Structure formats: structure tokens, C-alpha cells
Amino acid sequence: MAYSLSLHPYTLIFKKPAGTSRGVYRTRKVWYLHLTSSSYPGRVGIGECAPLPDLSHEYSSSFEQEIDTFVRSFQGRGEIDWEQLQSNSSLLFAMETALLHLQKGDYDFWDTPFARSEKGITINGLIWMGSRADMLEQIESKLNQGVNCIKLKIGAIDFEEELSLLHYIRERFSAEELSLRVDANGAFTPDNVQERLIALSRYDLHSIEQPIAPKQFHLMRQLAQQSPLSIALDEELIGIHRRNEKVELLEAIAPQYIVLKPTLHGGIRGCAEWIEEARKRNIGWWITSALESNIGLNAIAQWCATLDTTIPQGLGTGQLFTNNISLPLRVKGDTLWYNHRME
């Protein structure tokens, strides 16, 4: 069969500025790939390519030109060279999911209880960095929503204020009633990370994501072995595509968890490899979006629903944008549903 591909840029607009230790997002540029084939007349498979500035290895000022070149060179091909795409996670993910959509003809890519609207996926509630008052307002909203796991972005405001927010939550809910995750996005330094982990551990946290910047393997291994908190790797996994390199990293650091984003970590097939190797080593994992629109979020959720997981996933980002693409994804309490009929 011969494929045709077209490129459709789109700018997502955040309802509120989304703060991380790397900066604040107000808009989000993504590129939709439309895949067609004479073997599927009348169908269009849509995949989302959404690299994150300052984080995705493939992102640069020339990225749009590079992806446009790829699209033009792809025309008329009879197969997709997955090996060629391996080092470009966001483009690989877009092509994987465009093909799934084209083949299925709908957005429920696999036959699962989630896709049949029979079961939801448990998610965490995400608290973005901001002023103390703003973060407190977000926390109250998530608690009122009925979320049972909250994830706080930390590392940008005063650390003592962040601790006071955790104290506020723990005064109201025990660890048995509410699970707490924090994500430092690599904000801590070798000089302060030890004392900050000790301070954070007083609040019965589930885990901390990426406490220090990546590529500090000796220190990260030391933290994974000695920290009073479970360590979850995220940015540390970016740019590692070969299975043997994944094995080497997992064995070198031996974290308690890894956090997987198909847009950043090798598409669906790359993340599946990470999960397979993590399971062999009794390393926990969960899946999260990387601020994609509902096109990418739905693809991740559909895949996540095929996996054997019970802990909360990071898939609650569909409500972030004023101009998101309309798909039947709904958050009810602490659960994401795929359901046309849900109110």
C-alpha cells in the first residue's frame, strides 16, 4: 500500500499559565499528522507530534522545517521505517498513533473496558507551580473533585512555602486517605537535595520525580539507595532509545519508579520496552501525558488501558486548554473515562 501524509500545525492556549521549574507555559505548539492510504478509502489517521521546548531532544528552532521535510519525503511510501524514527520520540508517537487511527477508523484503538466505556482509568490530580495562594486554590479544587492522589510541581517557589502546602494537606488527609506525589523537574542541587528529601519525607509522600537534573548518575543512584523517599525517574530517560541502554540505566540507578511519556520516551513501542525491562527488575512505573491535546492524550489513554496497572496515571491534562480538540474524554472524580454519553 502507498501512504500519503500532510502536516497541520496548531497552537493550544492554556486556560491558566502552567508553571514548572523550567518556566511557565501559556501556549503550546503541536503538529497534527494526517495519514491516508488507498487501502483505507475515506479514512484519515491523525497523530499528534508535540515535542516540549527545552526538554525534547528533537526540538529546535528548525523543528517545523525538519518535520515538513519528513512529511514531503514520506509521500508514496509503502511502509513506515520505524527504525529511522526511533531517535525522534514525538514524531514516532505521532506516526504510531496516526496508523492506529487509520487502521481502526475511530479513536478507540484497542478493545478494552476503557474503550467500551465500561471502566475508567484512575488518575492523579496535577497541581501546577504558582503563588502559594494559587497552588492552595488548585489543591482545594482537586480535593473537592474527589481526587485520591495529588501530584504537586515543586522547585520554583520558596521551598518552605511548598512544605507548608504539604503540611496543610496532611493535616486534613492521612497517607491512607490521600496519596501525594511531588515532581521537582530536576530543580534540586547536589548541595541541597539531601536535606530537602529529608524535609519532604515528613509528609508521607508516595514518591518524588526527578529530584536533580539528569546525567548525575552516581548521585541519582545514591539517592535511589538512601533517600527516605521513593525516587521516580522522568527526564533521566529522555534520549535513551536502545534497549541495551535502557537496561544499563535501570541497573546503574535502580530507581523505585519510572515515569513514562510516549512523546518523550520513544513512542508507545519505546515505552513498552521501558515497562518490560522495569518489570524484570521490580521497578514500578506509571504513564503520563506531556501536555498534548486530546488527540495525543486519548492515544496514550487507549494504550494505557491495555496494560496491567492499578496505580494512578498522569492523564488528567485534557482540561488545560481553551481550544482543545473535542473528543469523548471526561474526568469524573479521580477517573478518566472514554464515553460519548457521560455528562
Side-chain angles (χ1 to χ4, degrees):
M1 73 178 71
Y3 292 107
S4 292
L5 195 62
S6 60
L7 183 63
H8 303 266
Y10 191 70
T11 299
L12 296 161
I13 301 170
F14 283 84
K15 293 178 181 177
K16 294 177 60 177
T20 75
S21 61
R22 291 186 300 272
V24 178
Y25 292 106
R26 291 179 173 82
T27 60
R28 173 88 161 96
K29 183 75 173 286
V30 302
W31 292 265
Y32 298 121
L33 299 183
H34 287 200
L35 184 68
T36 58
S37 169
S38 58
S39 298
Y40 301 97
R43 290 187 186 178
V44 178
I46 303 175
E48 181 172 356
C49 182
L52 280 165
D54 303 320
L55 193 56
S56 297
H57 278 199
E58 63 266 28
Y59 190 89
S60 69
S61 59
S62 63
F63 179 78
E64 186 159 16
Q65 180 180 344
E66 292 168 7
I67 193 174
D68 183 64
T69 299
F70 169 81
V71 167
R72 284 186 282 107
S73 69
F74 184 82
Q75 306 310 322
R77 290 190 193 178
E79 59 182 27
I80 300 171
D81 187 345
W82 300 113
E83 184 71 20
Q84 177 195 9
L85 294 171
Q86 188 179 46
S87 62
N88 191 319
S89 291
S90 60
L91 184 54
L92 172 58
F93 174 60
M95 290 298 292
E96 286 177 317
T97 52
L99 182 60
L100 284 167
H101 187 206
L102 178 66
Q103 292 172 335
K104 185 61 169 36
D106 208 338
Y107 288 102
D108 51 342
F109 298 157
W110 290 274
D111 184 19
T112 64
F114 175 74
R116 296 192 300 270
S117 305
E118 298 169 0
K119 183 180 180 181
I121 299 173
T122 303
I123 60 175
N124 61 236
L126 181 59
I127 308 300
W128 292 97
M129 291 178 181
S131 67
R132 186 182 188 281
D134 177 63
M135 293 181 73
L136 189 58
E137 181 181 339
Q138 292 180 67
I139 290 168
E140 287 285 0
S141 175
K142 294 299 181 185
L143 294 177
N144 291 335
Q145 183 181 318
V147 169
N148 293 309
C149 177
I150 284 181
K151 172 180 165 180
L152 284 85
K153 295 277 189 178
I154 63 172
I157 67 173
D158 180 75
F159 184 62
E160 292 301 321
E161 290 194 4
E162 291 171 339
L163 292 180
S164 73
L165 290 170
L166 293 171
H167 179 74
Y168 170 78
I169 297 171
R170 275 290 170 253
E171 278 191 320
R172 299 177 61 187
F173 300 96
S174 69
E176 289 71 32
E177 295 170 311
L178 180 71
S179 181
L180 282 176
R181 298 170 176 169
V182 294
D183 183 2
N185 287 124
F188 299 162
T189 69
D191 292 334
N192 66 26
V193 63
Q194 300 281 6
E195 64 184 51
R196 291 195 170 189
L197 291 177
I198 291 171
L200 289 166
S201 70
R202 301 185 183 115
Y203 300 100
D204 294 320
L205 304 185
H206 171 270
S207 57
I208 180 169
E209 287 182 43
Q210 204 67 41
I212 57 174
K215 311 306 179 187
Q216 302 178 80
F217 299 112
H218 178 74
L219 178 56
M220 189 66 88
R221 177 176 175 82
Q222 181 181 342
L223 295 178
Q225 290 178 335
Q226 302 175 6
S227 168
L229 288 178
S230 292
I231 302 295
L233 302 185
D234 182 353
E235 288 91 339
E236 200 76 57
L237 313 180
I238 296 173
I240 299 177
H241 307 295
R242 304 286 179 184
R243 186 183 286 263
N244 66 310
E245 295 172 337
K246 296 173 183 178
V247 169
E248 184 179 346
L249 178 76
L250 293 178
E251 294 190 345
I253 296 178
Q256 285 73 42
Y257 297 98
I258 57 175
V259 183
L260 297 167
K261 301 179 175 74
T263 286
L264 295 174
H265 301 135
I268 289 174
R269 62 195 60 215
C271 288
E273 280 190 355
W274 278 113
I275 290 172
E276 185 178 339
E277 295 302 332
R279 282 173 166 165
K280 292 177 184 177
R281 293 160 180 82
N282 295 316
I283 295 171
W285 52 272
W286 65 87
I287 297 164
T288 182
S289 64
L291 305 182
E292 299 90 354
S293 73
N294 278 338
I295 297 291
L297 176 61
N298 174 72
I300 298 169
Q302 295 291 335
W303 171 59
C304 182
T306 70
L307 305 172
D308 181 20
T309 180
T310 56
I311 68 173
Q313 307 294 298
L315 302 176
T317 56
Q319 300 167 307
L320 293 176
F321 308 111
T322 62
N323 60 338
N324 208 338
I325 306 301
S326 181
L327 283 181
L329 295 173
R330 305 287 184 271
V331 174
K332 186 175 182 179
D334 66 344
T335 310
L336 177 69
W337 290 83
Y338 179 81
N339 192 335
H340 291 271
R341 299 171 300 278
M342 181 170 289
E343 297 180 359

